[in-house]
Amino acid sequence: WLIKPSHYLPSCIPKFLHPILKKILQPLYFLWRYSADYFRLRHAVKRAVHAFDLIYELLEDVQHEVTFFESPMDIWDAVGLRSVAGISFHDFLDGLGLKRCEELELDKSAHGSYGGFWWIPGCLRSELVTAMTINTYNQDLNQMNGLVGLVAYVPSGGELFSVEGGNYKLMESAIRQATKIYDTSACPKLPVQRIQQHQKRITTVVSGENSMEIFSADESLGNFDIVILAAPLQQSRIQFLMESPMSMDPSVLHPMALNGIHENPDLEDNHERISSQLLNNEHGQLAFASPLPPSATTPYTSVVTTVVSNATLNVTHFGLSEKEQWPRSILVSERGKLTEGITTLTILDFEKGLMKTFSSEVLTTEKRNILFGSHHALEYVQVWGGGEKEEGGKYGGATPNFDGGRNSESLPFLLYDGAKHWGKGNAGSTGPALYYVNSIESAVAAIEISAVGAKSTAKLVARRLGLVNPASGAILHEEL
């Protein structure tokens, strides 16, 4: 009902003119409903997109050391977006002066906020913006940070691209391109295929002095100079272990210090807190692993996907007319999510009655009957996250929990540096290394953001292996 100009078309106008008039009236109705709020937010989004475009220029640069970002926070700092990532989207919109509507929100503090804008009939923040963030991330504006909120709103401008065939095609394309580059390079060819793909469940990574060994249960998959984790740490279910430089028995392993090591803690004041984390550093002194930030430990948000067929949309339940055409999608506000128990309803096929919903919890039979009629057939249910009792388990989840910007502090891309641990100097020295692509998801999550994290990590790996020299920008080896 938010954007339905057909309600305002006089009955005397022939129906064949309705589609043309709707295209004209829809944007006018939109501007009338949201007025200045639309332009305020649109301007902020354009500024953010312009800043984001700078990232691509920086990632393509291998000539300057400053373009080799050690952490996602360095990226956001470089383009002026770090402060936006550290506040809630509500606070950011407050700064823009967008109107709030108490009747559509659950936050009672919204009472009276910008209530003086009586000439704006709609409420962009509480209607469309909230619906888009709940649809995309299953989080309201208090849970979203400012940066991810802007990213969620970008599609409203129509400048949106997708991967044909699905996002998994990116991995296939990357492997195909890497193989082609290697095959056409002047590098000496090995008797075995250099670039290989194995579908294995990785369970353990063990770091020694010179390499990291990867295991799938008891099966060793080989030793590697560099290991890259391209999955959320809290979902990976991988045990990261390391040998101690001072240990006489290499079979005695310790948890890998994924966020660095602090030396010589005050045992009297911190014994209970760190007793389980005590390690020996390369000098044999007591040391302890730095705690991981909340972005690496907080479970991802739970989302349940439900697909039904032979469904009949309960139009009166959603305030629609029996005579009008069903909408392709129905989004909800904060109160709508609480009332309906869903975050999105999408009609995939009108003739077959094929519909899909996203929700925070599994829909009961009674709830499905209300939404789709008693004759619908349940085709598919997928639980993403939801705790140990659900099939998705505590390791699942769809999107990061941004906690209103409080979880935006990220881990570095270099998660573990074997050279430092074994006392061989700084990064780039001889020693194994573990990199973490998904550290970039602490502030915002999207497939394009994952690609930025991957490119940033690839540059750091290339520098560590001596494939590029930031001082001159020269590519030293063709296999890059």
Side-chain angles (χ1 to χ4, degrees), residues 58-359:
L58 296 173
L59 291 180
E60 290 299 319
D61 184 355
V62 294
Q63 298 181 2
H64 303 93
E65 183 67 33
V66 293
T67 66
F68 287 74
F69 301 109
E70 304 296 337
S71 77
M73 305 316 291
D74 293 339
I75 296 178
W76 308 133
D77 260 335
V79 297
L81 293 175
R82 180 165 184 168
S83 61
V84 183
I87 61 174
S88 74
F89 199 26
H90 255 323
D91 289 341
F92 177 78
L93 296 178
D94 282 344
L96 295 181
L98 264 67
K99 175 184 174 183
R100 295 182 70 164
C101 300
E102 182 184 9
E103 63 271 16
L104 295 176
E105 298 182 15
L106 302 178
D107 183 6
K108 295 299 182 182
S109 65
H111 179 70
S113 297
Y114 307 107
F117 293 163
W118 53 268
W119 61 85
I120 303 179
C123 189
L124 181 65
R125 178 205 294 232
S126 303
E127 294 173 356
L128 188 58
V129 176
T130 296
M132 293 180 72
T133 58
I134 290 177
N135 168 60
T136 308
Y137 294 98
N138 194 19
Q139 298 176 63
D140 60 38
L141 305 190
N142 276 321
Q143 296 170 303
M144 302 277 280
N145 66 55
L147 180 57
V148 73
L150 290 173
V151 169
Y153 189 73
V154 167
S156 67
E159 299 174 358
L160 189 65
F161 302 92
S162 61
V163 180
E164 186 175 354
N167 291 341
Y168 75 94
K169 292 285 187 178
L170 286 174
M171 182 59 69
E172 294 182 358
S173 175
I175 294 175
R176 184 171 61 253
Q177 292 182 58
T179 302
K180 182 179 180 180
I181 292 173
Y182 175 72
D183 290 342
T184 57
S185 70
C187 299
K189 299 302 184 288
L190 300 175
V192 296
Q193 185 178 355
R194 181 71 176 271
I195 299 175
Q196 302 181 35
Q197 182 181 12
H198 299 278
Q199 189 172 349
K200 294 283 187 178
R201 167 78 175 86
I202 307 300
T203 56
T204 311
V205 176
V206 178
S207 178
E209 180 178 0
N210 299 310
S211 65
M212 287 187 176
E213 189 171 9
I214 297 180
F215 292 88
S216 177
D218 295 331
E219 178 188 1
S220 174
L221 302 180
N223 291 274
F224 302 88
D225 299 319
I226 304 290
V227 173
I228 301 175
L229 176 63
L233 190 62
Q234 55 267 63
Q235 294 187 18
S236 66
R237 285 175 282 179
I238 299 175
Q239 190 175 21
F240 295 96
L241 304 172
M242 63 181 181
E243 300 174 5
S244 171
M246 303 303 296
S247 176
M248 301 298 293
D249 185 357
S251 63
V252 177
L253 303 175
H254 303 273
M256 194 180 295
L258 298 179
N259 196 23
I261 293 177
H262 289 179
E263 298 183 7
N264 299 325
D266 186 345
L267 296 181
E268 293 183 1
D269 296 336
N270 302 285
H271 181 268
E272 292 185 2
R273 180 172 62 86
I274 66 173
S275 59
S276 63
Q277 298 177 303
L278 286 176
L279 302 167
N280 282 322
N281 62 21
E282 62 267 22
H283 305 297
Q285 300 167 318
L286 284 177
F288 69 102
S290 300
L292 297 174
S295 62
T297 58
T298 304
Y300 275 35
T301 57
S302 173
V303 174
V304 180
T305 304
T306 305
V307 178
V308 299
S309 61
N310 197 36
T312 301
L313 185 66
N314 189 344
V315 290
T316 56
H317 180 75
F318 291 105
L320 302 172
S321 169
E322 293 282 358
K323 298 180 181 180
E324 65 183 314
Q325 184 180 4
W326 292 353
R328 175 66 65 179
S329 296
I330 296 176
L331 309 182
V332 299
S333 64
E334 287 183 26
R335 290 193 178 277
K337 176 183 175 181
L338 180 64
T339 303
E340 302 299 337
I342 62 173
T343 60
T344 308
L345 187 152
T346 303
I347 301 177
L348 304 176
D349 190 310
F350 288 93
E351 294 182 358
K352 297 180 180 178
L354 192 64
M355 302 184 190
K356 177 176 71 174
T357 65
F358 291 144
S359 58

Side-chain angles (χ1 to χ4, degrees), residues 382-399:
Q382 174 65 56
V383 180
W384 307 93
E388 298 183 29
K389 294 182 180 180
E390 298 289 354
E391 186 179 350
K394 65 179 181 180
Y395 299 106
T399 58

